[in-house]
Amino acid sequence: MRMYDIIKTKRDGGELDDEQIRYFVQKYTDGEIPDYQVAALLMAVYFEGMTKRETTTLTFAIRDSGETLDFSGVGGVRADKHSTGGVGDKTSLVVMPIVASLGVTVAKMSGRGLGHTGGTVDKLESIKGLRTDLDIGEFKRIASEVGLCIIGQNKDLAPADKLLYALRDVTATVDSIPLIASSIMGKKLAANDDCIVLDVKVGSGAFMKTLDDARALAEICVDIGRAAGKKISALITDMSEPLGNSIGNSLEVAEAIETLRGNTGGDFLELCIGLSAEILSLCGFGDEEKCLSAAKKAIADGSALEKFARMVKAQGGDERCIYDPSLLERGKFSREVIARSSGYIMGVDAEKYGEACLALGAGRNKTDDEIDRGAGIILRRKKGDKVFAGEVIATLFSNRNEFDEAERKVMDGTLIGEERPTHGKIILERIV
Ligand code: URA
């Protein structure tokens, strides 16, 4: 078999057979095919797409490029949630403690942020001492004893995805539905949970900019998961506006903790409750109403907060910040962004705010960039709010005292108009 022929078949709009797909994934993982040939193939896939069968085979080949986790000895139904990535998306820090407090076992591997989107691992590491680089033995022990453990990607799981993702990142081939679906599901299947809920984001801050594309991505992921024998569903959720009121690693942890303490509301809480109920329902907890009210109760009675505190402690973190979020780091410098006109906030552009956060130092442009965990944005106004000229729209934080670019992006990303806009729902569709 020659890589040249595989590239040519896809370039000419043909279908790759299973053997060709498995061949290029395995040989690339083994270092036997050079980047330039795989880059050419990825670009051909970007333009020509893949059939459902090709995408499924690619996903299984990515899963099989490394180990699959074996959870024998860890009790309970295991569930995972995966977001396709957004701005201000700290839902895992709330949803996983909620479902874990209700008896679901959560042994979750999460990613780091890249570009304008954040990652759960970076957020968690803003809790002093908390380790996300646990070995598989510790991971399983904490998952078994506490019922909740969140760590970073293990290098032995789906190694092909790590290589392919890095290559896609520098060849402008990230936003392709078959490549995103196989990347997400290859990792999820290697992590081997029983139930998976996908949070497929749509809007300016997401990879998928239109509802049709988000639906197509959700459907193929759900089909692949089911073909692998998993219980799986997807929620398509709005990412045209940042989620909640803060963006940036430690600011988001503080907001997640406040949510677990019952002190927040709005779009973020609504999404956390919806996702928690979806997981509970997949795990056989009961009907929609029962799952929704159990999720709300887990916040109201403090059991989700307590579960999160136990996880933080077990992973070496300073659990005092759970009871006093002001102990979390916040950038030494700050600047307030002021409205120049009066009216209603017509829209807060998630992508622009995400880029502003990147300019403040909260994210990375390259995978090995250092990040400023105290950098970020607190949104003082969101879509539909009234604002008067001279009032604060957002507060920027950073340890670098460089705010001009971020301020420009926040101004650009905030649209003020005369008529109050209608508020859409955060959960747009459910794909089963
Ligand atoms: N998240 C992933 O894990 N992979 C992608 O390709 C995009 C988002």
Side-chain angles (χ1 to χ4, degrees), residues 160-210:
D161 178 63
K162 199 166 182 195
L163 294 169
L164 288 169
Y165 195 91
L167 194 56
R168 286 165 59 207
D169 199 36
V170 292
T171 55
T173 51
V174 168
D175 47 347
S176 144
I177 290 175
L179 296 180
I180 295 177
S182 55
S183 164
I184 292 174
M185 292 306 295
K187 288 191 288 269
K188 291 293 114 183
L189 297 182
N192 204 13
D193 284 292
D194 306 309
C195 304
I196 304 165
V197 170
L198 300 170
D199 178 4
V200 177
K201 305 277 185 203
V202 62
S204 81
F207 285 118
M208 298 293 114
K209 307 289 183 202
T210 68

mmCIF file of all heavy atoms in Angstrom, residues 160-210:
data_model
loop_
_atom_site.group_PDB
_atom_site.id
_atom_site.type_symbol
_atom_site.label_atom_id
_atom_site.label_comp_id
_atom_site.label_asym_id
_atom_site.label_seq_id
_atom_site.Cartn_x
_atom_site.Cartn_y
_atom_site.Cartn_z
ATOM 1 N N ALA A 160 -2.624 8.807 18.094
ATOM 2 C CA ALA A 160 -2.773 9.309 16.723
ATOM 3 C C ALA A 160 -3.464 10.663 16.721
ATOM 4 O O ALA A 160 -3.146 11.542 15.913
ATOM 5 C CB ALA A 160 -3.567 8.312 15.876
ATOM 6 N N ASP A 161 -4.405 10.857 17.653
ATOM 7 C CA ASP A 161 -5.128 12.137 17.668
ATOM 8 C C ASP A 161 -4.193 13.287 18.017
ATOM 9 O O ASP A 161 -4.303 14.370 17.453
ATOM 10 C CB ASP A 161 -6.290 12.093 18.667
ATOM 11 C CG ASP A 161 -6.993 13.449 18.710
ATOM 12 O OD1 ASP A 161 -7.548 13.847 17.663
ATOM 13 O OD2 ASP A 161 -6.934 14.120 19.740
ATOM 14 N N LYS A 162 -3.288 13.032 18.953
ATOM 15 C CA LYS A 162 -2.363 14.099 19.359
ATOM 16 C C LYS A 162 -1.548 14.558 18.138
ATOM 17 O O LYS A 162 -1.405 15.751 17.866
ATOM 18 C CB LYS A 162 -1.434 13.547 20.452
ATOM 19 C CG LYS A 162 -0.788 14.601 21.227
ATOM 20 C CD LYS A 162 -0.163 14.075 22.485
ATOM 21 C CE LYS A 162 0.383 15.295 23.116
ATOM 22 N NZ LYS A 162 1.153 15.574 23.977
ATOM 23 N N LEU A 163 -1.065 13.578 17.370
ATOM 24 C CA LEU A 163 -0.244 13.910 16.195
ATOM 25 C C LEU A 163 -1.092 14.595 15.116
ATOM 26 O O LEU A 163 -0.697 15.609 14.538
ATOM 27 C CB LEU A 163 0.364 12.629 15.604
ATOM 28 C CG LEU A 163 1.383 11.911 16.502
ATOM 29 C CD1 LEU A 163 1.708 10.542 15.935
ATOM 30 C CD2 LEU A 163 2.658 12.753 16.606
ATOM 31 N N LEU A 164 -2.257 14.012 14.860
ATOM 32 C CA LEU A 164 -3.109 14.560 13.794
ATOM 33 C C LEU A 164 -3.601 15.956 14.158
ATOM 34 O O LEU A 164 -3.623 16.856 13.321
ATOM 35 C CB LEU A 164 -4.312 13.635 13.543
ATOM 36 C CG LEU A 164 -3.990 12.309 12.841
ATOM 37 C CD1 LEU A 164 -5.190 11.370 12.898
ATOM 38 C CD2 LEU A 164 -3.583 12.552 11.386
ATOM 39 N N TYR A 165 -3.955 16.143 15.454
ATOM 40 C CA TYR A 165 -4.480 17.451 15.857
ATOM 41 C C TYR A 165 -3.406 18.532 15.701
ATOM 42 O O TYR A 165 -3.676 19.627 15.191
ATOM 43 C CB TYR A 165 -5.018 17.424 17.292
ATOM 44 C CG TYR A 165 -5.882 18.633 17.567
ATOM 45 C CD1 TYR A 165 -7.253 18.592 17.343
ATOM 46 C CD2 TYR A 165 -5.318 19.838 17.958
ATOM 47 C CE1 TYR A 165 -8.038 19.718 17.533
ATOM 48 C CE2 TYR A 165 -6.099 20.965 18.153
ATOM 49 C CZ TYR A 165 -7.454 20.891 17.939
ATOM 50 O OH TYR A 165 -8.228 22.002 18.112
ATOM 51 N N ALA A 166 -2.170 18.188 16.102
ATOM 52 C CA ALA A 166 -1.076 19.169 16.001
ATOM 53 C C ALA A 166 -0.846 19.542 14.535
ATOM 54 O O ALA A 166 -0.616 20.714 14.202
ATOM 55 C CB ALA A 166 0.192 18.596 16.619
ATOM 56 N N LEU A 167 -0.951 18.545 13.656
ATOM 57 C CA LEU A 167 -0.746 18.815 12.233
ATOM 58 C C LEU A 167 -1.922 19.637 11.655
ATOM 59 O O LEU A 167 -1.717 20.581 10.880
ATOM 60 C CB LEU A 167 -0.616 17.467 11.492
ATOM 61 C CG LEU A 167 -0.078 17.491 10.079
ATOM 62 C CD1 LEU A 167 1.294 18.166 10.016
ATOM 63 C CD2 LEU A 167 0.052 16.057 9.535
ATOM 64 N N ARG A 168 -3.128 19.318 12.079
ATOM 65 C CA ARG A 168 -4.296 20.080 11.607
ATOM 66 C C ARG A 168 -4.205 21.529 12.053
ATOM 67 O O ARG A 168 -4.567 22.445 11.314
ATOM 68 C CB ARG A 168 -5.586 19.451 12.163
ATOM 69 C CG ARG A 168 -5.955 18.138 11.487
ATOM 70 C CD ARG A 168 -6.983 17.386 12.294
ATOM 71 N NE ARG A 168 -8.198 18.147 12.490
ATOM 72 C CZ ARG A 168 -9.016 17.990 13.530
ATOM 73 N NH1 ARG A 168 -8.753 17.117 14.468
ATOM 74 N NH2 ARG A 168 -10.102 18.722 13.615
ATOM 75 N N ASP A 169 -3.695 21.706 13.261
ATOM 76 C CA ASP A 169 -3.620 23.048 13.832
ATOM 77 C C ASP A 169 -2.741 23.978 12.988
ATOM 78 O O ASP A 169 -2.998 25.171 12.909
ATOM 79 C CB ASP A 169 -3.060 22.906 15.257
ATOM 80 C CG ASP A 169 -3.345 24.113 16.103
ATOM 81 O OD1 ASP A 169 -4.425 24.691 15.928
ATOM 82 O OD2 ASP A 169 -2.489 24.484 16.918
ATOM 83 N N VAL A 170 -1.698 23.419 12.369
ATOM 84 C CA VAL A 170 -0.783 24.277 11.589
ATOM 85 C C VAL A 170 -1.037 24.181 10.081
ATOM 86 O O VAL A 170 -0.310 24.773 9.288
ATOM 87 C CB VAL A 170 0.706 23.950 11.893
ATOM 88 C CG1 VAL A 170 1.054 24.348 13.314
ATOM 89 C CG2 VAL A 170 1.029 22.479 11.638
ATOM 90 N N THR A 171 -2.058 23.423 9.674
ATOM 91 C CA THR A 171 -2.326 23.317 8.229
ATOM 92 C C THR A 171 -3.753 23.774 7.888
ATOM 93 O O THR A 171 -4.262 23.447 6.811
ATOM 94 C CB THR A 171 -2.118 21.859 7.725
ATOM 95 O OG1 THR A 171 -2.935 20.977 8.508
ATOM 96 C CG2 THR A 171 -0.665 21.425 7.834
ATOM 97 N N ALA A 172 -4.376 24.501 8.805
ATOM 98 C CA ALA A 172 -5.725 25.047 8.571
ATOM 99 C C ALA A 172 -6.727 23.956 8.203
ATOM 100 O O ALA A 172 -7.560 24.110 7.315
ATOM 101 C CB ALA A 172 -5.682 26.125 7.482
ATOM 102 N N THR A 173 -6.652 22.820 8.907
ATOM 103 C CA THR A 173 -7.587 21.721 8.627
ATOM 104 C C THR A 173 -8.326 21.279 9.900
ATOM 105 O O THR A 173 -8.787 20.150 9.979
ATOM 106 C CB THR A 173 -6.851 20.513 7.998
ATOM 107 O OG1 THR A 173 -5.711 20.191 8.805
ATOM 108 C CG2 THR A 173 -6.408 20.799 6.591
ATOM 109 N N VAL A 174 -8.423 22.196 10.877
ATOM 110 C CA VAL A 174 -9.143 21.811 12.103
ATOM 111 C C VAL A 174 -10.648 21.724 11.841
ATOM 112 O O VAL A 174 -11.293 20.743 12.187
ATOM 113 C CB VAL A 174 -8.846 22.798 13.269
ATOM 114 C CG1 VAL A 174 -9.804 22.560 14.428
ATOM 115 C CG2 VAL A 174 -7.409 22.626 13.751
ATOM 116 N N ASP A 175 -11.210 22.731 11.180
ATOM 117 C CA ASP A 175 -12.675 22.795 11.118
ATOM 118 C C ASP A 175 -13.279 21.982 9.975
ATOM 119 O O ASP A 175 -13.890 22.505 9.049
ATOM 120 C CB ASP A 175 -13.170 24.248 11.093
ATOM 121 C CG ASP A 175 -12.409 25.102 10.095
ATOM 122 O OD1 ASP A 175 -11.362 24.652 9.614
ATOM 123 O OD2 ASP A 175 -12.865 26.218 9.809
ATOM 124 N N SER A 176 -13.107 20.678 10.097
ATOM 125 C CA SER A 176 -13.669 19.726 9.142
ATOM 126 C C SER A 176 -14.493 18.735 9.965
ATOM 127 O O SER A 176 -13.984 18.172 10.952
ATOM 128 C CB SER A 176 -12.522 19.011 8.424
ATOM 129 O OG SER A 176 -12.831 17.673 8.169
ATOM 130 N N ILE A 177 -15.759 18.525 9.588
ATOM 131 C CA ILE A 177 -16.630 17.689 10.427
ATOM 132 C C ILE A 177 -16.081 16.265 10.627
ATOM 133 O O ILE A 177 -15.979 15.806 11.764
ATOM 134 C CB ILE A 177 -18.083 17.710 9.893
ATOM 135 C CG1 ILE A 177 -18.666 19.113 10.168
ATOM 136 C CG2 ILE A 177 -18.944 16.630 10.555
ATOM 137 C CD1 ILE A 177 -20.038 19.362 9.612
ATOM 138 N N PRO A 178 -15.666 15.541 9.559
ATOM 139 C CA PRO A 178 -15.139 14.181 9.831
ATOM 140 C C PRO A 178 -13.876 14.192 10.688
ATOM 141 O O PRO A 178 -13.691 13.297 11.517
ATOM 142 C CB PRO A 178 -14.834 13.609 8.437
ATOM 143 C CG PRO A 178 -14.974 14.722 7.473
ATOM 144 C CD PRO A 178 -15.775 15.802 8.121
ATOM 145 N N LEU A 179 -13.036 15.221 10.530
ATOM 146 C CA LEU A 179 -11.804 15.264 11.327
ATOM 147 C C LEU A 179 -12.109 15.623 12.784
ATOM 148 O O LEU A 179 -11.500 15.064 13.703
ATOM 149 C CB LEU A 179 -10.790 16.243 10.717
ATOM 150 C CG LEU A 179 -10.289 15.856 9.312
ATOM 151 C CD1 LEU A 179 -9.290 16.886 8.781
ATOM 152 C CD2 LEU A 179 -9.654 14.460 9.303
ATOM 153 N N ILE A 180 -13.045 16.520 13.011
ATOM 154 C CA ILE A 180 -13.403 16.853 14.400
ATOM 155 C C ILE A 180 -14.095 15.648 15.061
ATOM 156 O O ILE A 180 -13.774 15.264 16.186
ATOM 157 C CB ILE A 180 -14.320 18.096 14.464
ATOM 158 C CG1 ILE A 180 -13.580 19.344 13.968
ATOM 159 C CG2 ILE A 180 -14.821 18.331 15.889
ATOM 160 C CD1 ILE A 180 -14.430 20.612 13.931
ATOM 161 N N ALA A 181 -15.042 15.047 14.326
ATOM 162 C CA ALA A 181 -15.793 13.919 14.906
ATOM 163 C C ALA A 181 -14.853 12.767 15.278
ATOM 164 O O ALA A 181 -14.941 12.204 16.377
ATOM 165 C CB ALA A 181 -16.851 13.427 13.913
ATOM 166 N N SER A 182 -13.916 12.440 14.381
ATOM 167 C CA SER A 182 -13.032 11.300 14.675
ATOM 168 C C SER A 182 -12.064 11.641 15.797
ATOM 169 O O SER A 182 -11.694 10.774 16.597
ATOM 170 C CB SER A 182 -12.283 10.862 13.418
ATOM 171 O OG SER A 182 -11.595 11.974 12.863
ATOM 172 N N SER A 183 -11.669 12.911 15.886
ATOM 173 C CA SER A 183 -10.760 13.334 16.943
ATOM 174 C C SER A 183 -11.447 13.231 18.312
ATOM 175 O O SER A 183 -10.911 12.640 19.257
ATOM 176 C CB SER A 183 -10.329 14.782 16.661
ATOM 177 O OG SER A 183 -9.766 15.375 17.789
ATOM 178 N N ILE A 184 -12.642 13.780 18.398
ATOM 179 C CA ILE A 184 -13.366 13.745 19.669
ATOM 180 C C ILE A 184 -13.707 12.305 20.053
ATOM 181 O O ILE A 184 -13.414 11.839 21.154
ATOM 182 C CB ILE A 184 -14.666 14.577 19.574
ATOM 183 C CG1 ILE A 184 -14.328 16.066 19.430
ATOM 184 C CG2 ILE A 184 -15.567 14.338 20.779
ATOM 185 C CD1 ILE A 184 -15.543 16.953 19.181
ATOM 186 N N MET A 185 -14.322 11.598 19.108
ATOM 187 C CA MET A 185 -14.830 10.272 19.464
ATOM 188 C C MET A 185 -13.704 9.245 19.616
ATOM 189 O O MET A 185 -13.825 8.313 20.404
ATOM 190 C CB MET A 185 -15.874 9.808 18.424
ATOM 191 C CG MET A 185 -17.148 10.616 18.447
ATOM 192 S SD MET A 185 -17.915 10.711 20.092
ATOM 193 C CE MET A 185 -18.360 8.988 20.370
ATOM 194 N N GLY A 186 -12.592 9.414 18.886
ATOM 195 C CA GLY A 186 -11.449 8.510 19.071
ATOM 196 C C GLY A 186 -10.975 8.557 20.519
ATOM 197 O O GLY A 186 -10.732 7.519 21.152
ATOM 198 N N LYS A 187 -10.883 9.772 21.068
ATOM 199 C CA LYS A 187 -10.437 9.926 22.468
ATOM 200 C C LYS A 187 -11.499 9.410 23.444
ATOM 201 O O LYS A 187 -11.182 8.753 24.424
ATOM 202 C CB LYS A 187 -10.169 11.415 22.776
ATOM 203 C CG LYS A 187 -8.919 11.954 22.123
ATOM 204 C CD LYS A 187 -8.570 13.331 22.666
ATOM 205 C CE LYS A 187 -9.522 14.411 22.196
ATOM 206 N NZ LYS A 187 -9.174 15.100 20.973
ATOM 207 N N LYS A 188 -12.748 9.741 23.162
ATOM 208 C CA LYS A 188 -13.822 9.329 24.088
ATOM 209 C C LYS A 188 -13.918 7.801 24.147
ATOM 210 O O LYS A 188 -14.118 7.226 25.199
ATOM 211 C CB LYS A 188 -15.182 9.890 23.633
ATOM 212 C CG LYS A 188 -15.317 11.389 23.752
ATOM 213 C CD LYS A 188 -15.329 11.884 25.164
ATOM 214 C CE LYS A 188 -14.118 12.699 25.448
ATOM 215 N NZ LYS A 188 -14.003 13.163 26.838
ATOM 216 N N LEU A 189 -13.781 7.155 22.979
ATOM 217 C CA LEU A 189 -13.908 5.692 22.972
ATOM 218 C C LEU A 189 -12.707 5.044 23.652
ATOM 219 O O LEU A 189 -12.838 4.008 24.310
ATOM 220 C CB LEU A 189 -14.078 5.164 21.538
ATOM 221 C CG LEU A 189 -15.359 5.641 20.830
ATOM 222 C CD1 LEU A 189 -15.464 5.029 19.438
ATOM 223 C CD2 LEU A 189 -16.620 5.308 21.643
ATOM 224 N N ALA A 190 -11.522 5.663 23.538
ATOM 225 C CA ALA A 190 -10.345 5.115 24.232
ATOM 226 C C ALA A 190 -10.519 5.267 25.747
ATOM 227 O O ALA A 190 -10.062 4.432 26.519
ATOM 228 C CB ALA A 190 -9.082 5.827 23.762
ATOM 229 N N ALA A 191 -11.200 6.330 26.177
ATOM 230 C CA ALA A 191 -11.428 6.530 27.620
ATOM 231 C C ALA A 191 -12.488 5.557 28.148
ATOM 232 O O ALA A 191 -12.594 5.329 29.349
ATOM 233 C CB ALA A 191 -11.841 7.965 27.910
ATOM 234 N N ASN A 192 -13.289 5.000 27.225
ATOM 235 C CA ASN A 192 -14.109 3.825 27.514
ATOM 236 C C ASN A 192 -15.188 3.982 28.587
ATOM 237 O O ASN A 192 -15.373 3.073 29.402
ATOM 238 C CB ASN A 192 -13.155 2.669 27.887
ATOM 239 C CG ASN A 192 -13.781 1.316 27.635
ATOM 240 O OD1 ASN A 192 -14.818 1.224 26.957
ATOM 241 N ND2 ASN A 192 -13.183 0.285 28.175
ATOM 242 N N ASP A 193 -15.864 5.132 28.627
ATOM 243 C CA ASP A 193 -16.980 5.291 29.561
ATOM 244 C C ASP A 193 -18.230 4.595 29.033
ATOM 245 O O ASP A 193 -18.332 4.310 27.842
ATOM 246 C CB ASP A 193 -17.253 6.786 29.781
ATOM 247 C CG ASP A 193 -16.214 7.399 30.686
ATOM 248 O OD1 ASP A 193 -16.198 7.048 31.867
ATOM 249 O OD2 ASP A 193 -15.399 8.209 30.200
ATOM 250 N N ASP A 194 -19.195 4.370 29.944
ATOM 251 C CA ASP A 194 -20.430 3.692 29.513
ATOM 252 C C ASP A 194 -21.369 4.667 28.803
ATOM 253 O O ASP A 194 -22.039 4.306 27.843
ATOM 254 C CB ASP A 194 -21.192 3.133 30.736
ATOM 255 C CG ASP A 194 -20.306 2.240 31.591
ATOM 256 O OD1 ASP A 194 -19.688 1.338 31.015
ATOM 257 O OD2 ASP A 194 -20.223 2.465 32.816
ATOM 258 N N CYS A 195 -21.432 5.898 29.328
ATOM 259 C CA CYS A 195 -22.383 6.892 28.803
ATOM 260 C C CYS A 195 -21.621 8.171 28.433
ATOM 261 O O CYS A 195 -20.746 8.599 29.187
ATOM 262 C CB CYS A 195 -23.410 7.287 29.863
ATOM 263 S SG CYS A 195 -24.309 5.893 30.547
ATOM 264 N N ILE A 196 -21.973 8.744 27.311
ATOM 265 C CA ILE A 196 -21.285 9.965 26.866
ATOM 266 C C ILE A 196 -22.339 10.993 26.444
ATOM 267 O O ILE A 196 -23.226 10.685 25.637
ATOM 268 C CB ILE A 196 -20.381 9.680 25.637
ATOM 269 C CG1 ILE A 196 -19.386 8.558 25.938
ATOM 270 C CG2 ILE A 196 -19.656 10.947 25.178
ATOM 271 C CD1 ILE A 196 -18.704 7.967 24.697
ATOM 272 N N VAL A 197 -22.216 12.210 26.986
ATOM 273 C CA VAL A 197 -23.070 13.306 26.511
ATOM 274 C C VAL A 197 -22.171 14.344 25.853
ATOM 275 O O VAL A 197 -21.180 14.779 26.448
ATOM 276 C CB VAL A 197 -23.880 13.937 27.661
ATOM 277 C CG1 VAL A 197 -24.562 15.224 27.205
ATOM 278 C CG2 VAL A 197 -24.937 12.950 28.154
ATOM 279 N N LEU A 198 -22.497 14.698 24.624
ATOM 280 C CA LEU A 198 -21.703 15.693 23.905
ATOM 281 C C LEU A 198 -22.403 17.043 23.960
ATOM 282 O O LEU A 198 -23.624 17.122 23.781
ATOM 283 C CB LEU A 198 -21.546 15.276 22.439
ATOM 284 C CG LEU A 198 -20.862 13.928 22.211
ATOM 285 C CD1 LEU A 198 -20.994 13.524 20.746
ATOM 286 C CD2 LEU A 198 -19.398 13.985 22.606
ATOM 287 N N ASP A 199 -21.621 18.063 24.210
ATOM 288 C CA ASP A 199 -22.150 19.431 24.181
ATOM 289 C C ASP A 199 -21.565 20.070 22.915
ATOM 290 O O ASP A 199 -20.414 20.493 22.904
ATOM 291 C CB ASP A 199 -21.684 20.156 25.452
ATOM 292 C CG ASP A 199 -22.140 21.605 25.496
ATOM 293 O OD1 ASP A 199 -22.870 22.042 24.596
ATOM 294 O OD2 ASP A 199 -21.752 22.314 26.456
ATOM 295 N N VAL A 200 -22.361 20.062 21.859
ATOM 296 C CA VAL A 200 -21.872 20.569 20.572
ATOM 297 C C VAL A 200 -22.234 22.051 20.471
ATOM 298 O O VAL A 200 -23.408 22.418 20.413
ATOM 299 C CB VAL A 200 -22.468 19.759 19.394
ATOM 300 C CG1 VAL A 200 -22.012 20.330 18.065
ATOM 301 C CG2 VAL A 200 -22.055 18.299 19.509
ATOM 302 N N LYS A 201 -21.210 22.875 20.476
ATOM 303 C CA LYS A 201 -21.428 24.324 20.508
ATOM 304 C C LYS A 201 -21.642 24.871 19.094
ATOM 305 O O LYS A 201 -20.982 24.424 18.154
ATOM 306 C CB LYS A 201 -20.196 25.019 21.090
ATOM 307 C CG LYS A 201 -19.790 24.502 22.448
ATOM 308 C CD LYS A 201 -20.626 25.173 23.511
ATOM 309 C CE LYS A 201 -20.207 24.798 24.897
ATOM 310 N NZ LYS A 201 -21.289 24.992 25.850
ATOM 311 N N VAL A 202 -22.489 25.861 19.001
ATOM 312 C CA VAL A 202 -22.702 26.530 17.717
ATOM 313 C C VAL A 202 -22.708 28.046 17.936
ATOM 314 O O VAL A 202 -23.225 28.527 18.935
ATOM 315 C CB VAL A 202 -24.011 26.043 17.027
ATOM 316 C CG1 VAL A 202 -25.245 26.361 17.863
ATOM 317 C CG2 VAL A 202 -24.169 26.653 15.646
ATOM 318 N N GLY A 203 -22.085 28.770 16.996
ATOM 319 C CA GLY A 203 -22.065 30.233 17.111
ATOM 320 C C GLY A 203 -20.665 30.763 16.909
ATOM 321 O O GLY A 203 -19.730 30.006 16.632
ATOM 322 N N SER A 204 -20.508 32.070 17.084
ATOM 323 C CA SER A 204 -19.239 32.711 16.725
ATOM 324 C C SER A 204 -18.051 32.177 17.513
ATOM 325 O O SER A 204 -16.936 32.125 17.026
ATOM 326 C CB SER A 204 -19.342 34.226 16.922
ATOM 327 O OG SER A 204 -19.163 34.543 18.287
ATOM 328 N N GLY A 205 -18.280 31.747 18.768
ATOM 329 C CA GLY A 205 -17.172 31.272 19.602
ATOM 330 C C GLY A 205 -16.887 29.797 19.435
ATOM 331 O O GLY A 205 -16.028 29.255 20.123
ATOM 332 N N ALA A 206 -17.620 29.120 18.521
ATOM 333 C CA ALA A 206 -17.487 27.670 18.380
ATOM 334 C C ALA A 206 -16.836 27.317 17.046
ATOM 335 O O ALA A 206 -16.753 28.149 16.145
ATOM 336 C CB ALA A 206 -18.878 27.040 18.454
ATOM 337 N N PHE A 207 -16.397 26.059 16.915
ATOM 338 C CA PHE A 207 -15.895 25.600 15.611
ATOM 339 C C PHE A 207 -17.031 25.601 14.588
ATOM 340 O O PHE A 207 -16.840 25.903 13.429
ATOM 341 C CB PHE A 207 -15.347 24.173 15.708
ATOM 342 C CG PHE A 207 -14.015 24.087 16.372
ATOM 343 C CD1 PHE A 207 -13.836 23.375 17.543
ATOM 344 C CD2 PHE A 207 -12.913 24.728 15.823
ATOM 345 C CE1 PHE A 207 -12.607 23.299 18.149
ATOM 346 C CE2 PHE A 207 -11.679 24.654 16.429
ATOM 347 C CZ PHE A 207 -11.515 23.939 17.593
ATOM 348 N N MET A 208 -18.219 25.188 15.038
ATOM 349 C CA MET A 208 -19.360 25.116 14.139
ATOM 350 C C MET A 208 -20.107 26.448 14.191
ATOM 351 O O MET A 208 -20.621 26.836 15.239
ATOM 352 C CB MET A 208 -20.313 23.973 14.563
ATOM 353 C CG MET A 208 -19.686 22.598 14.520
ATOM 354 S SD MET A 208 -19.288 22.087 12.842
ATOM 355 C CE MET A 208 -17.538 22.017 12.894
ATOM 356 N N LYS A 209 -20.143 27.133 13.058
ATOM 357 C CA LYS A 209 -20.747 28.472 13.038
ATOM 358 C C LYS A 209 -22.241 28.423 12.705
ATOM 359 O O LYS A 209 -22.946 29.400 12.907
ATOM 360 C CB LYS A 209 -20.036 29.374 12.015
ATOM 361 C CG LYS A 209 -18.517 29.440 12.182
ATOM 362 C CD LYS A 209 -18.085 30.208 13.415
ATOM 363 C CE LYS A 209 -16.572 30.313 13.508
ATOM 364 N NZ LYS A 209 -16.071 30.563 14.859
ATOM 365 N N THR A 210 -22.705 27.310 12.091
ATOM 366 C CA THR A 210 -24.131 27.243 11.738
ATOM 367 C C THR A 210 -24.783 26.032 12.398
ATOM 368 O O THR A 210 -24.115 25.030 12.697
ATOM 369 C CB THR A 210 -24.330 27.097 10.214
ATOM 370 O OG1 THR A 210 -23.853 25.791 9.821
ATOM 371 C CG2 THR A 210 -23.573 28.160 9.428
#
